[in-house]
């Protein structure tokens, strides 16, 4: 976008030309397309976690960072605990966190400021749009320091507080996450748990939770007992998207099964897109999928498909109810639908070359790009986060987008993820990531994967 001063200098409308890669109309002057940086936030946003240790702050930070990067908002997490570990190489005990430990307080304050300096560099210089400042931030004084820092640098601040009084949830978090921390690498389990509980006590005496009256001018969400209740205060558009996401995630153990439809008639012919039915081997895969699902004895399994014939045919063989999502339809190849890659190269050589240049952002003429597909799939991700055990029968490009979200893959990696036919990927979300198991069901199929070109 033009800023006001530049717009006033040159108020005459410029000619428009279509960007050949993304098919977007853009201003053009003297034959040159004006470069514009797409920004999804009207000013950089600093997300600040608040809460006692073992309340899921880092879990929230990592999930939020992954989600925002996936939808196209450049985001980076700054974990102050990591800065502290780099500063103090050997952790001795909880006494480092004691409010009476002047040396410890000095070091922790230094680490927080070092992290904030890196936040400034990322948001002001490196082109980041959101930074997640992951620390306890349990005192009003510390939060006021962060607000002043943000005001001085022109950042918006959004606090995310996690409050949990459920001892079972806290204990589970300590066992699953904290015992694997570098702080406790040389401790046995009992010693580590005892030390960490004492660390929590160090923070409890000075903890000042966000208050809906005292902090009424701040933007924040307060998450109570892992999503049983929420308090939301003063949010803008981007913050409301973050709130909606945080209100959908949960920590209930579950598995997500992703697979493509059975091999289709057009797959055999090497043609992309279309809405053909299953081949003989595709139908055999559907029967094998039914047996696999039955053998797993999955509790309360839900099944989703696209609205395309090949996914519905695959689901029909399962003998269970399923839900059709138009959002799960394969990427629209526009004028290239039902063509072979060799035909595209022959008839549309420029389009073929442009797609190899930037497969994620390339948009088919009268069709879609992977970038479009991610936006189309955002409601699917939101609902997937709400669900427990689920099987999604979809398509290659769609499966790549979903997989990239769960595995935290970049836009550059996403279009080249391998999602072979007749293979089920079982995803089991963990505290800070996702475990992936690949199960080939033993039915031959064509290979539809096209490797990244070596030379572009």
């Amino acid at each position: 976008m033009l800023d006001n001063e530049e717009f006033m200098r040159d108020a005459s409308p410029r000619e428009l030309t279509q960007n050949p890669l993304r098919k977007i109309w853009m201003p053009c002057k003297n034959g040159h397309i004006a470069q514009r940086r797409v920004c999804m936030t009207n000013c950089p946003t600093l997300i600040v976690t608040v809460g006692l240790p073992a309340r899921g702050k880092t879990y929230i930070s990592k999930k939020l960072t992954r989600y925002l990067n996936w939808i196209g908002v450049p985001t980076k997490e700054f974990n102050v605990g990591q800065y502290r570990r780099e500063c103090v190489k050997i952790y001795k005990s909880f006494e480092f966190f004691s409010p009476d430990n002047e040396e410890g307080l000095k070091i922790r304050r230094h680490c927080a400021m070092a992290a904030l300096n890196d936040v400034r560099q990322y948001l002001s210089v490196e082109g980041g749009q959101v930074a997640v400042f992951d620390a306890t931030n349990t005192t009003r004084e510390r939060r006021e320091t962060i607000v002043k820092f943000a005001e001085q640098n022109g950042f918006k601040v959004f606090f995310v507080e996690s409050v949990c009084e459920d001892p079972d949830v806290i204990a589970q978090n300590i066992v699953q996450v904290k015992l694997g921390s570098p702080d406790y690498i040389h401790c046995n389990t009992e010693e580590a748990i005892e030390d960490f509980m004492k660390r929590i006590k160090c923070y409890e005496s000075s903890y000042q939770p966000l208050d809906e009256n005292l902090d009424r001018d701040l933007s924040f969400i307060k998450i109570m007992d892992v999503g049983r209740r929420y308090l939301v205060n003063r949010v803008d558009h981007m913050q409301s998207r973050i709130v909606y996401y945080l209100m959908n995630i949960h920590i209930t153990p579950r598995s997500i099964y992703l697979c493509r439809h059975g091999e289709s008639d057009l797959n055999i012919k090497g043609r992309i897109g279309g809405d053909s039915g299953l081949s003989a081997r595709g139908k055999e895969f559907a029967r094998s999928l039914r047996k696999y699902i039955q053998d797993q004895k999955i509790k309360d399994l839900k099944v989703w498909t696209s609205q395309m014939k090949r996914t519905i045919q695959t689901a029909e063989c399962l003998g269970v109810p399923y839900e059709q999502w138009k959002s799960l339809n394969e990427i629209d190849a526009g004028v290239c639908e039902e063509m072979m890659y060799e035909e595209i190269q022959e008839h549309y050589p420029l389009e073929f070359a442009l797609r190899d240049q930037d497969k994620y952002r390339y948009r088919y003429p009268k069709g879609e790009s992977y970038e479009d597909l991610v936006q189309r799939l955002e409601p699917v991700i939101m609902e997937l986060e709400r669900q427990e055990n689920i099987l999604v029968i979809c398509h290659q490009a769609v499966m790549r987008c979903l997989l990239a979200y769960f595995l935290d893959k970049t836009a550059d990696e996403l279009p080249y993820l391998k999602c072979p036919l007749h293979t089920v990927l079982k995803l089991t979300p963990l505290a800070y990531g996702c475990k992936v198991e690949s199960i080939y069901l033993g039915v031959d199929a064509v290979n539809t994967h096209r490797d990244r070109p070596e030379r572009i």
Side-chain angles (χ1 to χ4, degrees):
M1 284 179 65
L2 287 169
D3 60 35
N4 287 340
E5 197 175 317
E6 188 180 347
F7 185 79
M8 292 302 292
R9 281 201 308 268
D10 186 6
S12 58
R14 295 174 293 175
E15 292 297 316
L16 298 181
T17 190
Q18 196 177 52
N19 174 296
L21 181 80
R22 302 172 80 168
K23 314 296 185 286
I24 296 171
W25 288 99
M26 301 180 78
C28 176
K29 196 167 186 179
N30 300 326
H32 297 288
I33 296 176
Q35 294 300 313
R36 76 174 179 185
R37 179 168 165 263
V38 177
C39 185
M40 295 177 72
T41 58
N42 53 14
C43 80
T45 296
L46 175 57
I47 298 172
V48 181
T49 63
V50 177
L52 294 170
R55 264 55 178 187
K57 297 183 301 299
T58 299
Y59 168 80
I60 289 168
S61 298
K62 287 184 179 297
K63 287 209 68 146
L64 254 184
T65 300
R66 176 160 56 89
Y67 162 69
L68 290 170
N69 277 317
W70 184 77
I71 63 171
V73 181
T75 304
K76 188 174 180 180
E77 176 201 9
F78 297 82
N79 181 283
V80 177
Q82 194 56 43
Y83 283 77
R84 187 259 304 166
R85 277 185 279 274
E86 288 171 9
C87 183
V88 182
K89 301 296 182 186
I90 300 172
Y91 172 77
K92 292 179 180 177
S93 79
F94 71 93
E95 290 173 356
F96 177 83
F97 297 94
S98 169
D100 301 324
N101 185 338
E102 289 294 333
E103 183 65 19
L105 282 169
K106 185 178 174 183
I107 291 171
R108 284 154 55 203
R109 197 174 293 118
H110 167 78
C111 292
M113 294 315 297
L116 285 176
N117 283 333
D118 287 348
V119 164
R120 182 194 291 116
Q121 173 74 13
Y122 177 68
L123 294 179
S124 299
V125 179
E126 296 173 15
Q129 292 179 22
V130 176
V132 183
F133 186 71
D134 178 18
T136 52
N137 301 310
T138 45
T139 65
R140 197 156 277 113
E141 180 189 5
R142 169 60 62 83
R143 297 195 290 270
E144 285 171 359
T145 299
I146 294 169
V147 169
K148 284 178 186 172
F149 163 84
E151 287 173 350
Q152 288 165 0
N153 290 280
F155 307 151
K156 285 188 174 181
V157 181
F158 183 58
F159 291 98
V160 177
E161 182 175 28
S162 180
V163 179
C164 183
E165 304 299 335
D166 187 329
D168 292 336
V169 172
I170 296 167
Q172 184 182 25
N173 194 13
I174 292 172
V175 171
Q176 284 186 352
V177 178
K178 302 305 178 184
L179 297 188
S181 162
D183 291 346
Y184 297 113
I185 199 163
H186 299 300
C187 294
N188 65 42
T189 301
E190 290 75 19
E191 289 171 344
I193 291 174
E194 183 183 358
D195 183 87
F196 198 84
M197 293 304 291
K198 288 178 180 176
R199 188 195 293 194
I200 294 173
K201 289 287 182 191
C202 290
Y203 282 95
E204 284 178 340
S205 59
S206 59
Y207 181 25
Q208 298 169 303
L210 287 164
D211 184 275
E212 57 185 306
N213 293 315
L214 292 174
D215 298 307
R216 61 183 175 274
D217 294 331
L218 299 179
S219 298
F220 66 82
I221 178 173
K222 200 177 179 87
I223 305 167
M224 287 158 273
D225 288 325
V226 206
R228 287 188 190 140
R229 287 190 301 127
Y230 302 91
L231 175 64
V232 179
N233 193 67
R234 295 176 68 94
V235 295
D236 65 14
H237 169 68
M238 176 51 67
Q239 292 162 0
S240 70
R241 291 182 74 172
I242 292 166
V243 165
Y244 183 54
Y245 177 74
L246 292 175
M247 291 176 74
N248 279 286
I249 62 177
H250 64 83
I251 58 169
T252 307
R254 43 84 177 256
S255 289
I256 298 157
Y257 299 83
L258 300 179
C259 74
R260 292 169 63 188
H261 52 81
E263 180 188 71
S264 73
D265 293 328
L266 285 177
N267 287 150
I268 292 174
K269 295 172 183 175
R271 298 188 176 277
I272 65 172
D275 194 17
S276 63
L278 298 182
S279 68
R281 293 190 301 196
K283 291 172 184 174
E284 186 184 347
F285 164 74
R287 293 189 291 269
S288 296
L289 181 62
R290 174 176 180 154
K291 184 178 186 307
Y292 169 76
I293 293 298
Q294 287 174 341
D295 290 347
Q296 295 300 299
K297 295 182 170 56
I298 305 161
K299 183 184 176 186
D300 299 326
L301 179 71
K302 288 189 176 179
V303 179
W304 293 353
T305 74
S306 73
Q307 290 187 352
M308 306 192 99
K309 185 177 181 181
R310 51 197 185 273
T311 64
I312 296 168
Q313 274 187 300
T314 305
E316 274 293 319
C317 278
L318 301 181
V320 297
Y322 57 88
E323 185 177 340
Q324 296 178 22
W325 284 66
K326 191 174 190 295
S327 301
L328 287 171
N329 284 4
E330 181 57 306
I331 191 169
D332 184 350
V335 299
C336 298
E337 281 283 312
E338 298 194 25
M339 293 179 72
M340 299 169 69
Y341 283 118
E342 294 80 4
E343 292 172 343
I344 299 172
Q345 190 169 20
E346 180 185 346
H347 296 289
Y348 304 105
L350 176 61
E351 297 296 330
F352 190 83
L354 285 169
R355 190 163 191 262
D356 280 350
Q357 237 177 64
D358 187 346
K359 192 175 176 183
Y360 181 77
R361 292 172 185 85
Y362 169 80
R363 180 179 283 143
Y364 283 105
K366 300 184 180 178
E368 291 180 301
S369 64
Y370 272 93
E371 190 173 33
D372 296 330
L373 190 52
V374 162
Q375 291 184 27
R376 167 150 65 89
L377 288 168
E378 188 181 357
V380 175
I381 286 295
M382 286 293 184
E383 192 58 29
L384 274 175
E385 285 291 1
R386 290 169 56 86
Q387 296 296 328
E388 294 185 14
N389 294 319
I390 190 158
L391 165 65
V392 182
I393 303 171
C394 53
H395 306 266
Q396 181 167 250
V398 171
M399 190 165 163
R400 282 171 173 159
C401 293
L402 299 179
L403 202 56
Y405 167 77
F406 285 106
L407 302 187
D408 199 14
K409 298 297 183 181
T410 65
D412 186 52
E413 296 171 300
L414 183 156
Y416 296 101
L417 294 176
K418 290 187 177 178
C419 299
L421 287 163
H422 300 178
T423 300
V424 177
L425 294 185
K426 179 182 178 182
L427 309 181
T428 306
L430 304 173
Y432 294 165
C434 200
K435 177 185 173 187
V436 187
E437 299 169 71
S438 179
I439 303 104
Y440 171 58
L441 296 191
V443 180
D444 286 343
V446 294
N447 178 13
T448 61
H449 183 82
R450 187 168 171 265
D451 288 327
R452 185 194 299 269
E454 288 184 14
R455 291 177 186 168
I456 299 174

